[in-house]
Amino acid sequence: GAVVSQHPSRVICKSGTSVKIECRSLDFQATTMFWYRQFPKQSLMLMATSNEGSKATYEQGVEKDKFLINHASLTLSTLTVTSAHPEDSSFYICSARVGSGRSYNEQFFGPGTRLTVL
Amino acid sequence: QQQVKQSPQSLIVQKGGISIINCAYENTAFDYFPWYQQFPGKGPALLIAIRPDVSEKKEGRFTISFNKSAKQFSLHIMDSQPGDSATYFCAATYRSGSRLTFGEGTQLTVNP
């Protein structure tokens, strides 16, 4: 199957700092990438959808100025949590949608990034 | 109308038993129903998926049953193993590749 990586796998930061999380599709081109947040023992909550070369579409209630998303290429999307606070501590997961080939339109998930804000 | 309801919230079965997780949806426009398996601290992994033009799909020990008229689908894990202990999420989407709508998740524990 297609492989999606995330970096870093875990990060601890002080309140008020910004944190950047990278999501890469390693062996396919991703026309669309999705960013999710997951709190303990809860389901995945979609934060935003990003298409290469265009602005991300944010879900209702997600602050676009706080969660900056950049999808600069067909293999890389980044999520920057700006001025992070303890309530932003969560498990952030990206997924990438395959743009062509046998797995066209399938979504593959990254391993997630555990963010802890002190 | 976009919700997917999943039950049970948690499930404990004995090794070798059958695990059954159920999901129900409202939006009849959904045309792709994947199941994901997630281990603690990991991202979800696609387990098996079905389209509404078939009533059942089997891959190894995993089977999806789909009831279009009832707008329900379920995951059956045959011969459940301790290694199957994980959280399972059903989801629904349009095959065109739009957003996934996830169920609430089921934490499965398979006792040895």
Side-chain angles (χ1 to χ4, degrees), chain B residues 14-19 61 77-81 84:
Chain B
Q14 292 299 118
K15 179 182 176 181
I18 302 174
S19 304
R61 295 185 295 110
I77 305 175
M78 311 299 287
D79 187 26
S80 298
Q81 299 296 312
D84 296 330

Side-chain angles (χ1 to χ4, degrees), chain A residues 73-85:
Chain A
S73 75
L74 286 172
T75 60
L76 173 65
S77 177
T78 60
L79 167 68
T80 301
V81 183
T82 63
S83 187
H85 288 93

Side-chain angles (χ1 to χ4, degrees), chain A residues 38 43 59 97 105-106 109-110, chain B residues 32 38 44 95 97 99 103:
Chain A
Q38 186 179 34
S43 189
E59 295 299 302
R97 183 165 70 91
N105 270 340
E106 295 281 358
F109 284 83
Chain B
Y32 183 66
Q38 185 180 31
R95 195 63 181 93
R99 54 182 294 176

Side-chain angles (χ1 to χ4, degrees), chain B residues 16-62:
Chain B
I18 302 174
S19 304
I20 302 174
I21 305 170
N22 301 298
C23 284
Y25 63 97
E26 290 293 325
N27 190 342
T28 56
F30 286 143
D31 59 3
Y32 183 66
F33 303 89
W35 284 89
Y36 291 89
Q37 179 188 57
Q38 185 180 31
F39 293 104
K42 305 294 183 183
L46 179 65
L47 196 59
I48 187 173
I50 197 168
R51 298 189 67 178
D53 52 349
V54 297
S55 60
E56 185 176 282
K57 183 175 181 180
K58 183 177 181 179
E59 290 184 0
R61 295 185 295 110
F62 302 93

Side-chain angles (χ1 to χ4, degrees), chain A residues 21-40:
Chain A
I21 302 170
E22 291 186 350
C23 177
R24 292 181 184 274
S25 55
L26 298 186
D27 52 0
F28 66 99
Q29 292 186 330
T31 53
T32 305
M33 288 186 173
F34 303 86
W35 286 95
Y36 296 84
R37 182 165 53 180
Q38 186 179 34
F39 292 106

